Structures are given as structure tokens and as C-alpha cells.
Amino acid sequence: MNQRQEKATIMNHQADPSSDNAFLTAFHHVATIGATDNNGVDRQALTPEDKQTRDWMRAWAEAHSFEVRVDAIGNMFACLQLVPDASEASPAPDSPSGSADTSAAPYVLIGSHLDSQPLGGRFDGAYGVIAALFAALRVKEQLDESGQQPTFNLAVVNWFNEEGGRFAPSIMGSSVYAGLFDLDEMLAVTDLDGTSVAEALATIGYDGTDTPPEAITYAEIHIEQGRILEREATDIGVVESSWYTQKLDIDVLGEQSHTGATAMADRHDALVAAAKVVLAVAEVVDEFDDEALVSSVGQHVVEPNSPIVVPRRVHMVADLRSSDPAIVQTARDSLRTQIAEIARAHDITINVEDFDIRDKQPFPLEGVELAEKAVANEGLTIRRLETMAGHDSVAMNHRVPGVMMFVPSVDGVSHCEREFTTDEDMLRGVRVLTSVAGELVRGQLSEVRDGETWVGRSVAEARSSVTV
Amino acid sequence: MNQRQEKATIMNHQADPSSDNAFLTAFHHVATIGATDNNGVDRQALTPEDKQTRDWMRAWAEAHSFEVRVDAIGNMFACLQLVPDASEASPAPDSPSGSADTSAAPYVLIGSHLDSQPLGGRFDGAYGVIAALFAALRVKEQLDESGQQPTFNLAVVNWFNEEGGRFAPSIMGSSVYAGLFDLDEMLAVTDLDGTSVAEALATIGYDGTDTPPEAITYAEIHIEQGRILEREATDIGVVESSWYTQKLDIDVLGEQSHTGATAMADRHDALVAAAKVVLAVAEVVDEFDDEALVSSVGQHVVEPNSPIVVPRRVHMVADLRSSDPAIVQTARDSLRTQIAEIARAHDITINVEDFDIRDKQPFPLEGVELAEKAVANEGLTIRRLETMAGHDSVAMNHRVPGVMMFVPSVDGVSHCEREFTTDEDMLRGVRVLTSVAGELVRGQLSEVRDGETWVGRSVAEARSSVTV
């Protein structure tokens, strides 16, 4: 689609720009960017496809009178100034009123991320950003109609690199914004080809210099990626807390030799030892109740990876998650013991490092109740649950009070091309997000702030538990 | 080292160009090209480092009055015309004498390969090429001194891509020369970045157009890559036959999902199934006598290889080798049964294909006896053995009768940086190769030729058993 067609697609719905039809048209259009053969998308962070979705968001937002800002880590903010002027606006609760910095009220942020996994699904992230754009437009229309004066401004955010497939760690842009990751460290992170985040941002023209809007509260809607809502035929899930997660960096160091000429007894095959580690990670879940722990190895690179060379090295990343931090700790200790035993048996070295530890963290009860009220007003059903997946909302929950909601996923599958959510479920989510965002700009949830952070956690405390 | 220094290194030994000292200087100089931190080399086929060793060989050969030819697959031949002219030369035994095509006698080829594995050793291949250059020079000197008239010409060959780490299959250049692989198919082979052999040859300027010399017999010397000679304190090994080898292409097809959000019971993790396949390949050797079978997985690629995605696919290559073809067959059948069971248990697809089957093949007894005589004349010790590794000589053995000899490897290790052979053992090998090459240019071994091929095998028969 060229620029003219792009603009035509956006303009077609200007007659009723916030309608359900306009939302579905926009959502299914964005799903064509980086589309794969099997109805998925491939839009890893800072690829040409990521640039295309960003360009679409900028064009759409500007066509609907949002002001677009891009910060130094590439987060995009489509801002709506709802509070007219310094003298009329309510100052942020923690800012001394009357100072020059309070000329604009802080922002309620709503959004998610437009990047995807390689061969990922159309819904993960993109749904939350596009739902937020339409929710913001509807909130503005309602305020314009009612003449009501909101307390805060509203911005839709597309967080940089939530997926982390190309640049690790994941949830990068929101974690920098929330103060959990250091900006310069993240700009220096490189992909497997040695390209840095800073270089890749510049390449697609999203190395921004804008000051991001100051957040007061945060809301996000996302697909569940599990099957609880589908199984119970519930419309909306609201997240009470995130799971405890940690990763293990496992480096198996054997010795390279000839697959033909070297006797079996003389080998130190890194891949054979690594295979035992992979099985240990998979089977450690059997030490606990069903589904109390999930574990996996997603990244696994063999060197030198030649058909006639016995591998010298396997570098892998294991991922452990549970609602109960003690279960992850017990599993991790069990794995370290088993891995040491494997290293001894194969007479090779296996180095294991803990990293990317993310504490279990409650979302504010006031936010859960706010979502429940909004869902009830819409005549829909809701249940509380936990999130096993990491989300931008989990990072933001360290900085400001937030609300995290889910819509159902068919078969519970995600991070793959057959990820699916129905149009009806997506539209229900847009309605609920609109209602929640409307309450947030009126000041709801902002009172649980305490100093610079909300009462749940301090950023300093959270940061000490996150190792990159 | 710049070109002027390179020339100075070559010229320093012109006073006694074929001396032991000159050989060792040349060998240890070539080991500096693509040198790694731990005394190995990294000179994969058609890399800048491969070009540097090729440029060195060309400069050395031309400085010593060899005529250098490069054929279409990038094999390099340094030719010495020892048989003066058409009217004086002995025609090839299978050519009708007096025809226009017999104006030059065919060539005895001696050599090996200058390319290496990634992080490979200094000796594998390079020793055989450099030994052959010095052996050829010595044979010429001896003929010049004695005034003897040889039957055949002599050429030193550097075969293209013996290692196959970058472009599969291995033993590519000699197999094309021997008529086992198709030239155009091999030129179209691509590396993991999508670069073809044809493109990579052109990039380094070795996309040759010369007609290669016509071989009448072949000899090669190589490091053993095992520990039999070292254990028995024997100077030289002579190869009676190659092992039977085959590869299995194994494609494990699961389903991509989220490492956090997807329940363990809902996953189809390709890597967990692949780990069981890797262990099955490693453990199948236990079904046979000690060291009767060697097996391994050298290449193993995970997709999408993201820390927070359950892998959808693992593509791997397993390698099975034995002196006894029936053992490989039994192992292969056992693996196919086990792999089918793993696929069933994990409810995923695993495709298995046989490829790169290389039959067990005897080297001509006359060649073995020729080597034994040469070794006895030098006052050294020798034993017969089999080769488990593939070699250019194994491919050439389909085309013309050949002699394959080994010098000892310290600790038997190879395809790694700590591969080692002493200077003394290398010099003994040069003496024996000189003696064998001298006999070959006098006509030895050429009488086992029968029509276009030697009596052992026809090329057509061999080709039918080699699937790329």
C-alpha cells in the first residue's frame, strides 16, 4: 500500500472515526504489515516492518489530531491534551502547584506494543495499541459532548521492543521509561549481527529526542495468551498480580573434534551435555503440582554448527515462571544441582548465571475494582487472574498504579501464527478500555500514588531485583 | 605480512629451496594465516583467509617455476611438466598413441586442502598441500640430477572446500573433479547467509577457467586425527580402506508458543523432542562393540531461537560411521524407530532423510605396498589402517588409483585448535611422500587403471551411492 492508499484507508472512516467498523478496519489493516503465509505477522523491533507499523500509527494519530512524540529509546506517544491550560489544570499531586513545570497536567497512558515475535501472531501487542487509539478518541468525544473537565491528559503509547526476540531483554522500552533499565545500557544492546539498538533506531528514523509525557496512571488491554477466559466463557480478565519469573543463562563448554576420526571415548561433546540440560529444564516441572511452574529453553545456539564437527559450545537461555517465588527458587536450585552433575559426567564446564529476575508484583486493588465496575456497566463478565507472561504493564506497575486487562485467546495459543481472538471479543475490550480510560482521566487511581511511585513498590527496590 | 615481506619469506630459502628448514618455515608461515588465539586457524572455504592461503600457494609455486591453474570449482593445481614433449612423451595407457590429444602426458596429482574448520587446527589439510609442494620440488631435483626420464607429469593440488563447514557437502572440489558431484549443482550451493559457491569464488577471484590437469594416479599425506600411530609409536600409516559413512537429515517440527503464558500441557516443544533425538544418536553406539560405530550431531539449528518463545523447529544433521556397513545400517534403523517413537510421544512431526552415503571402499593394494616399500627404504615404520574421516583421497579413489598416508596426531585430536603433530613427524612424511611421488611419476600404480577408471569401482556406480 502506498502513502496515498494509506491515507485513503485512514480517511474512509473520518465520517465516524471511532466506530467499531473503523476499529476493525484499522486492526485488520495493521495485520497486513509483515503478514506471514499463515495469518501471522513478523515485525521484530526496528525492522522495516516495525517501521511500517510505526509510520501507520503516526499517520493515523496525526490524522486524528494527536500530537506524536518519540523518546530516546524509541517509545511512541500519541498525546491528547484534554486539560486546557496551566492555570486551569489540576497540578500533579506530587508537584508543587504554581511552579513553571506544572503548566500541563500529567498524562494517563494507555497502550501496548506493535512489535512481534518472529512468525508471531497478529494480536499480541498490536491489539492493545489500536484499542487504545480508539479508546482515546472515544474518551475525547465523550468529554467534548459532556463538556466535563478531566483532571489529566491522555496519551496512547507504543512501547519499544516488548518482545525481545531481536534485542534482549524483552519489555525494554517500558522498563527504560519506568526507570528499571538504564537508557544508555539499552541503547548499546546488540542483536546477533552486532547492530546496536541506537544504530537500528537511527536506521528507521525513530531515534527520538522528545520528552515523553509524564505518566500519572497506566492501563493496558492484551490477549490472554492462555485458555482460562475461553474455558469459563468470561469476557474480560483483570490481572491481580504478575508471576515470579527468572531466566538462567547456561553456557555449555565442551571441546570441538572430528565427527568421524575422533573416538567416542575421547570426545567432550557440548551438544550431548546440552541435550541433558534441556530435558532437565523440561522435566523439573514434574517436581511440583500440575502447571504450578512453567519452564522452557527458547534460545539455544550450537558452535561451530558444522555437520562434521563435534560441537564445542552450546549457549542457551532457560525461563522459569510461577505464581509462587519459592517454587521458582526450588526449581532453580534443583536445576543447578542437576547441571553440575551433567558437567561432571561429561567432564566439561557448564556455567550457569541467574538473570532477568522479575518479582511477583500485585497490581493495585483499586485498579482491579475499577475494571470490574467498568465491565459490569457494559453488561459483560469478568474474573481476576494472574499473568504468567511479562507485559509492559508489569514494568509500568513499578512506576505508577496500573490496570491490566485481558480478552480471550482461542485455544490459549500465542507467540505463533495461529494466535486468534474474535472481532466480537476485541470490540468488547475496546469498550471496557474506553470506560476505564475515562475514569482514569477523571482522576481515578491517581490517589494511590505515594511520592514518586505508587505505594506497592519503590523503583529502587524493583531495580535491584532486575539484572540484565 | 604485505606482498613484499611475503616474497622475502619465499625467497629467503631459494639457496636451498627444498630443504627441511624451508619446508618448516613455509608450514609455520601458512599457519599464521587466519591464526586464532589458541594456536589454531580459522580459514573456512572462500573467506578472506582462504584467499590469503591461496595467494601464498600461487606466489610460492610461481616462484619455484610451477604453472598454476584454477578450475571452475576453484581447485588449484601447481603443475610441473616433467615429460618434455608430445613426440618424446609416453602416452597415457588408455589413449590411442599418436592422436592429437596425447601431446602431453597425464599428471600424477599429490596434495590435500588449505581450507579449515571454524576454529580448526593448523595441520588438517594444509600439511598435505605444503608437504606435496616440497615433495614435488624434490622429485624434480632428483630427476634433474639423475637425468632420468619420467613417464608422467606432476601437479600439486589444493582441493576446494574439503571441510564443508560453510558450504555443504564436504569434500566438494575433489568430488567434482572425480565426477561424483555435478559442477553446476555445487556452484549453486549456498551458505547460511545465502551466498552461493559461484558468488563466493568470484568475490575472492578464484572462479577459474583453466582446464585441470588430467590425473593418472593420486597420493595424499594427512594427519591421522586418531591415536593409533601415537599409541603404537609408528611413523606412518597407510590407508587400506575408508569407513562406510552416512548422514541423517532430521527435521523436528513442533509448534511455537509463549514460554510464559502457554501451559506445559498445551506445548509442542521442538527442542525438547530434539534433545531426545540428540541423546538417541549419541547412545546408539552402545548397541555395538566399543568404537565399532561413531555417531554425532554437529549441526543443530533452533527456530525462532528467542528466549521467550517455545521453539517451533529444530533442524539437525546426524553423522554415522563404521568400518562395517551393516553396523551403520542397523544403527540407522534403530534410530528411525526411536525417532518415530519420540515424535509420537510429543505429538509432533519429525522428518528423517538419508543423505551423503559414502560406501566403504578399498584403496588399491599396489598403492599400500608402494607406501610400505618407500617407508622401509627411509628406515621408518608403517602400519595399515582404515580412515574413519572423509578425505579428498577417498573421492579421488573413485577416479584413479591412489595412495593415502597418515602421520601421527598428538592425543588423536583434530578439528580443534589443539590439534598437533611434531616437526619431526611432518618431515618424515615429506620424505615418504617424495619417495612415493617419485615412483608414481615413473609409472607405478598406473597399470591398475582399467578404461576410464581404476579397477576398484566405476564412477557411475559410486555416484549412485552419493546423494547430496
Side-chain angles (χ1 to χ4, degrees), chain A residues 65-189:
Chain A
S65 306
F66 289 71
E67 174 217 350
V68 176
R69 300 187 205 169
V70 180
D71 72 9
I73 195 68
N75 295 318
M76 289 179 74
F77 302 88
C79 306
L80 286 180
Q81 199 187 331
L82 305 178
V83 184
D85 253 333
S87 51
E88 300 159 65
S90 305
D94 59 335
S95 304
S97 73
S99 97
D101 289 346
T102 58
S103 61
Y107 281 74
V108 171
L109 294 189
I110 59 177
S112 189
H113 60 94
L114 290 171
D115 72 318
S116 86
Q117 286 291 333
L119 293 192
R122 287 170 286 162
F123 302 86
D124 181 354
Y127 167 61
V129 175
I130 302 166
L133 287 170
F134 281 80
L137 211 54
R138 293 180 187 186
V139 167
K140 186 169 187 303
E141 286 170 357
Q142 288 165 6
L143 290 170
D144 288 348
E145 279 166 31
S146 69
Q148 250 195 319
Q149 171 65 51
T151 311
F152 301 117
N153 293 311
L154 180 59
V156 176
V157 56
N158 166 29
W159 297 112
F160 165 63
N161 188 31
E162 196 268 352
E163 296 292 4
R166 180 176 176 196
F167 297 103
S170 55
I171 314 186
M172 190 180 278
S174 51
S175 294
V176 168
Y177 181 93
L180 301 173
F181 293 169
D182 181 75
L183 171 64
D184 291 330
E185 274 177 40
M186 292 304 113
L187 288 172
V189 165

Side-chain angles (χ1 to χ4, degrees), chain B residues 248 250 276-277 280-281 284 287 320 328-345 350 352 354:
Chain B
L248 286 170
I250 303 170
K276 292 184 179 173
V277 174
V281 171
V284 75
E287 298 174 22
L320 301 173
V328 171
Q329 196 60 40
T330 308
R332 173 240 185 232
D333 293 347
S334 167
L335 283 174
R336 289 190 80 110
T337 306
Q338 291 179 61
I339 289 168
E341 189 45 54
I342 292 165
R344 248 191 312 278
I350 307 183
V352 182
D354 299 297

